[in-house]
Amino acid sequence: MWNREKSIILSKLCVLLFMGLLAAVVVTAPWLTQWFVEFSQAGLAEKASYFMATIYVGSLPAAYLLYSLLKLLRQIEIGQVFTPKNVELLRRISWSCFVGAGMALISLLYYFPWFFLAVAAAFMGLIVRVVKNVVAQAVALKDEADYIV
Amino acid sequence: MPIVVNLDVMMAKRKISSGELAEKIGISPANLSILKTGKAKAIRFSTMEAICKALDCQPGDILEYQANQD
């Protein structure tokens, strides 16, 4: 039977999967980049180092985002849902998205398709920010409800 | 807050302990402590009714408005 605990476990597994994927991308970045510039046939050979720089620098906010996401899921798992700590974690996740979007925006100077990633990351950051605002309001309501006797 | 809770005064007058009152009115000792220390942001009519019944008093004996408090 599907329940809340199994749903959280599935979410944690997905986050761990993405962590593994990120680690694999970072480790294999030189080969991935080489393969991509050869595959694209768009004369990107001299830009391979830029791609690697984007991957390495971009992996930092991505790793921080995934770590924050895992911490958030742990909090939810122990029943701590509407807490200031979770609001802070959501804020970090949102800013990680915006930082990633900023990096992708800078990267479009040498490769335009990064623009689409920038827009997607910024949009994701915006959604998480709205969720953060909702949770912050819920924390305030819960705080008040806790003091109604 | 300019509303002062005089629950401890009434409890002393009626010679009733916190644990005993909490049990009589059906709230946890932690919640009664929140009420006694003035940390509560609101009180339900049902809780007030139970307190008044247990302490044989009026709501005005428990709550007091003091304009000079902030």
Side-chain angles (χ1 to χ4, degrees), chain B:
Chain B
M1 205 190 296
I3 300 291
V4 177
V5 181
N6 292 320
L7 186 61
D8 47 354
V9 177
M10 280 310 294
M11 283 170 66
K13 280 182 183 173
R14 299 291 185 258
K15 294 183 176 61
I16 187 168
S17 68
S18 293
E20 198 181 337
L21 182 63
E23 200 179 325
K24 271 189 172 179
I25 62 179
I27 65 169
S28 67
N31 273 349
L32 186 65
S33 172
I34 287 171
L35 190 59
K36 274 176 70 185
T37 52
K39 288 178 185 168
K41 293 185 178 177
I43 180 165
R44 292 188 185 92
F45 280 162
S46 56
T47 308
M48 180 58 87
E49 185 187 333
I51 290 171
C52 290
K53 192 176 173 184
L55 297 178
D56 188 27
C57 64
Q58 293 298 311
D61 298 325
I62 307 293
L63 302 178
E64 183 188 350
Y65 174 71
Q66 286 184 3
N68 58 346
Q69 298 271 320
D70 45 54

Side-chain angles (χ1 to χ4, degrees), chain A residues 19 38 41 45 50-51 64 66-67 70 78 81 97 99 106 109 119 121 124 132 137-141 147:
Chain A
M19 279 178 160
E38 283 171 12
Q41 295 178 341
Y50 294 146
F51 277 103
Y64 190 64
L66 289 168
Y67 174 69
L70 202 60
I78 57 169
V81 184
C97 288
V99 169
I106 293 167
L109 291 171
V119 171
M124 187 61 72
K132 184 216 79 168
Q137 191 65 36
V139 169
L141 286 171
Y147 286 96

Side-chain angles (χ1 to χ4, degrees), chain A residues 2-127:
Chain A
W2 193 250
N3 56 30
R4 195 182 71 92
E5 284 78 22
K6 284 177 183 171
S7 177
I8 291 171
I9 288 169
L10 179 65
S11 300
K12 280 173 80 175
L13 282 175
C14 289
V15 172
L16 290 171
L17 187 73
F18 271 92
M19 279 178 160
L21 203 64
L22 180 68
V25 167
V26 169
V27 170
T28 61
W31 296 282
L32 273 178
T33 306
Q34 193 60 38
W35 170 80
F36 180 71
V37 294
E38 283 171 12
F39 176 78
S40 71
Q41 295 178 341
L44 298 169
E46 71 277 7
K47 292 173 182 172
S49 55
Y50 294 146
F51 277 103
M52 278 179 59
T54 300
I55 290 171
Y56 286 136
V57 177
S59 66
L60 295 175
Y64 190 64
L65 185 152
L66 289 168
Y67 174 69
S68 300
L69 212 51
L70 202 60
K71 277 178 80 174
L72 181 65
L73 284 168
R74 277 187 196 143
Q75 284 281 107
I76 294 168
E77 200 172 23
I78 57 169
Q80 300 284 314
V81 184
F82 299 114
T83 61
K85 190 179 177 183
N86 287 1
V87 175
E88 177 60 24
L89 286 169
L90 283 168
R91 194 180 71 82
R92 289 177 189 177
I93 291 166
S94 170
W95 275 108
S96 298
C97 288
F98 288 129
V99 169
M103 286 172 183
L105 270 180
I106 293 167
S107 301
L108 72 82
L109 291 171
Y110 70 87
Y111 187 63
F112 183 76
W114 283 117
F115 174 77
F116 302 109
L117 187 72
V119 171
F123 189 65
M124 187 61 72
L126 185 66
I127 291 170

